Amino acid sequence: MKQEDSKASTAAKQLPIVVEFTGGLEMLFSNQRKHHIKIPAFNNEGQASDMAYLVRHLCQSLMKDPRKELFIKDGTIRPGILVLINDADWELEGEGQYELQNDDNILFVSTLHGG
């Protein structure tokens, strides 16, 4: 019984995080730069939620613009978008494999400019 209770509380645990979009990306997310969201601490397979999970969640739940190709390409963040996790380049943090933590601040910055 205790193991069942542990699984239920694990499944219900939420991670509060802040997600920010700049450089024009905010247009894809209801023209709102900063979002305070909560995501499940664990995915459907029981693994800790990571950046790859967050990207899918953002596209499915938060992005209102249908042009998802402006944000993702081949299942990951498209080239030309800088991703910072707590002010550190996500490439130094393991990119999509970075396991999200309470109160993480994730910043997406488009470096692409029209002309």
Side-chain angles (χ1 to χ4, degrees), residues 8-24:
S9 67
T10 297
K13 185 177 178 188
Q14 298 281 302
L15 293 175
I17 62 173
V18 176
V19 181
E20 297 182 69
F21 303 96
T22 63

Side-chain angles (χ1 to χ4, degrees), residues 3-4 7 14 20 32 44-47 52 64 72 79-80 86 96 105 111 113-114:
Q3 188 175 14
E4 262 183 41
K7 284 183 180 180
Q14 298 281 302
E20 297 182 69
Q32 185 177 341
N44 293 337
E45 289 82 41
Q47 299 169 332
K64 302 302 180 203
I72 58 170
N86 303 318
N105 187 298
T111 61
H113 302 282

Side-chain angles (χ1 to χ4, degrees), residues 68-107:
K68 297 190 185 337
E69 70 277 3
L70 297 176
F71 186 63
I72 58 170
K73 181 179 182 179
D74 299 328
T76 190
I77 299 298
R78 71 176 299 111
I81 296 176
L82 175 65
V83 182
L84 299 178
I85 302 171
N86 303 318
D87 296 324
D89 191 324
W90 83 322
E91 291 178 359
L92 301 174
E93 300 289 347
E95 297 183 2
Q97 290 78 37
Y98 172 81
E99 291 183 4
L100 295 164
Q101 307 293 317
N102 277 332
D103 301 318
D104 274 345
N105 187 298
I106 312 298
L107 173 63

